[in-house]
Amino acid sequence: MYDIIILGAGPAGLTAGLYAGRSKLKTLIIEKNIPGGQIATTAFVDNYPGSIEDATGMGLSDRMYEQAKEYCEFLTTEVTSVELKGKVKKVHTEDGKTLEAKVIIISTGASHRKLEVPGEKEFLNMGVSYCATCDGPFYSGLDIFVVGGGDSALEEAIYLTKFGKSVTIIHRRDEFRASQLVVDKAKANEKIKFELDSVVTEIKGDKETSSLIVENVKTGEKKELKSDDNSPIGVFIFVGYIPQTEMFKDQVEMNYGYIVTDSDMKTNIEGVFAIGDNREKSVRQMVNAAGDGCIAAVIANRYLEGQVW
Ligand code: NAP
């Protein structure tokens, strides 16, 4: 029996693990992929306090993982279902295990939103990617197209200029959701071009991606974007995230798929907390994901001592 099982090893889960483990609580973190969550595949994290040297997402998440590992157990597997009600919570995994804990902290994060256009699935890893850090180097010297207008799209577009001959940002409006600082940086970059008020309607190619069909949402005009010399192209899609909360939907209170918590990260179920990008809140940044993790672990400790709920 664990005191706490944490579902997900992004910045929120790793911070919760660090705090729980340092409070001498028997803590297990379960993660189906590599630790770090979205950060692990983010090029640079410039806005996490103290993240100056080796500010790569991978570097930072590795250090968070190494630190948490000092204090809690890790298990790499996929959780298939959970039983959250009652004093003893149960976690069932794909390899047939059932693990028990007094507290569950849900930090399953969010997954990449898809464009849902023809060619997106077919050319995944053959020109279509959701991770610049992972796949950017494959497109060295080629034309790259980035879809989206948020911080992710613009920051990753800037990063991709290290590799691409050109980087074209395709965005459905003519204003950006990204912060002004990042917009200005992208606009000042000579390699970056913009295709605004435009949506991608199809991704085309043979064995590799060779072109995109975009439609101007104001004029309805369609055109094909490709390289001048018919080389393969890279298409990087950054159009937001979807909370990974499907598994909890009949047990925990949610709003549009995001788990509802109070300011102590408590859900409507006793002994169950939610932290990070899967909970309802207005700002989703790494720094407040880590803050959520700290709060949940501290309050969980108080709960286990019989002080709160
Ligand atoms: P986001 O802020 O939700 O932006 C998603 C972008 O994709 C928006 O520009 C949106 O257009 C566009 N979009 C959504 N669905 C689309 C579709 N079906 N077709 C075409 N375009 C579509 O997502 P994000 O950029 O991944 O950022 C998520 C959160 O992480 C944000 O809070 C962001 O600030 C934060 N973040 C921070 C940093 C950093 O500070 N270092 C880096 C990355 C992300 P509209 O604008 O028209 O809705």
Side-chain angles (χ1 to χ4, degrees):
M1 167 80 80
Y2 288 94
D3 289 318
I4 303 184
I5 293 180
I6 298 168
L7 308 177
L14 291 171
T15 307
L18 176 67
Y19 273 76
R22 285 172 61 89
S23 299
K24 302 273 184 220
L25 299 173
K26 188 169 155 56
T27 305
L28 171 72
I29 302 184
I30 306 178
E31 169 59 60
K32 65 176 175 181
N33 295 316
I34 55 165
Q38 290 167 46
I39 295 302
T41 55
T42 299
F44 296 105
V45 184
D46 286 344
N47 56 2
Y48 190 77
S51 157
I52 303 169
E53 305 223 342
D54 185 15
T56 61
M58 185 61 89
L60 197 52
S61 57
D62 276 352
R63 293 198 292 279
M64 284 188 162
Y65 169 59
E66 288 303 323
Q67 194 179 10
K69 222 168 55 170
E70 295 284 310
Y71 301 98
C72 42
E73 293 175 38
F74 273 84
L75 181 65
T76 307
T77 188
E78 182 151 1
V79 172
T80 48
S81 63
V82 288
E83 296 173 51
L84 299 176
K85 298 223 163 87
K87 287 278 176 202
V88 176
K89 324 290 183 194
K90 292 189 176 158
V91 174
H92 304 286
T93 66
E94 62 176 352
D95 38 5
K97 282 195 190 110
T98 296
L99 302 154
E100 292 182 343
K102 296 171 200 160
V103 165
I104 297 289
I105 299 181
I106 302 170
S107 54
T108 42
S111 64
H112 299 285
R113 180 176 288 128
K114 310 282 186 300
L115 285 177
E116 310 288 358
V117 297
E120 184 179 21
K121 238 189 245 161
E122 293 80 349
F123 291 108
L124 180 64
N125 298 328
M126 292 184 300
V128 173
S129 171
Y130 302 89
C131 176
T133 318
C134 323
D135 299 329
F138 298 133
Y139 300 93
S140 292
L142 300 177
D143 291 301
I144 293 175
F145 296 85
V146 169
V147 189
D151 281 317
S152 297
L154 271 72
E155 284 195 356
E156 301 303 320
I158 293 166
Y159 172 72
L160 286 165
T161 58
K162 277 158 83 94
F163 309 104
K165 185 163 78 178
S166 73
V167 175
T168 304
I169 296 174
I170 302 163
H171 178 38
R172 64 184 177 184
R173 294 188 290 141
D174 61 358
E175 282 180 358
F176 294 96
R177 194 176 287 275
S179 60
Q180 196 55 45
L181 194 81
V182 180
V183 173
D184 291 345
K185 217 166 147 186
K187 284 185 174 166
N189 191 309
E190 284 177 359
K191 274 195 180 176
I192 294 183
K193 299 185 267 185
F194 294 90
E195 198 67 50
L196 300 179
D197 294 322
S198 297
V199 290
V200 174
T201 58
E202 191 177 351
I203 299 169
K204 294 170 76 171
D206 183 11
K207 287 200 173 82
E208 292 169 300
T209 309
S210 57
S211 71
L212 289 171
I213 306 295
V214 293
E215 181 177 338
N216 186 299
V217 292
K218 287 191 174 151
T219 63
E221 183 203 340
K222 282 193 173 187
K223 65 179 172 185
E224 190 165 16
L225 302 179
K226 52 185 185 172
S227 71
D228 293 340
D229 55 3
N230 289 323
S231 300
I233 58 167
V235 181
F236 287 81
I237 300 166
F238 302 106
V239 293
Y241 294 90
I242 298 171
Q244 300 270 69
T245 55
E246 183 67 18
M247 198 194 306
F248 316 104
K249 74 170 185 233
D250 297 325
Q251 302 186 58
V252 184
E253 187 189 348
M254 291 196 202
N255 205 359
Y256 294 101
Y258 290 97
I259 299 173
V260 177
T261 70
D262 65 9
S263 57
D264 282 344
M265 308 302 136
K266 284 153 53 192
T267 68
N268 60 316
I269 301 176
E270 186 175 323
V272 178
F273 297 79
I275 55 176
D277 283 5
N278 57 19
R279 82 175 183 93
E280 190 181 43
K281 57 180 174 177
S282 53
V283 177
R284 293 194 175 80
Q285 293 286 305
M286 185 176 169
V287 70
N288 67 344
D292 286 1
C294 161
I295 294 168
V298 171
I299 303 297
N301 191 27
R302 288 183 197 162
Y303 167 68
L304 291 167
E305 288 172 348
Q307 293 176 40
V308 291
W309 205 272

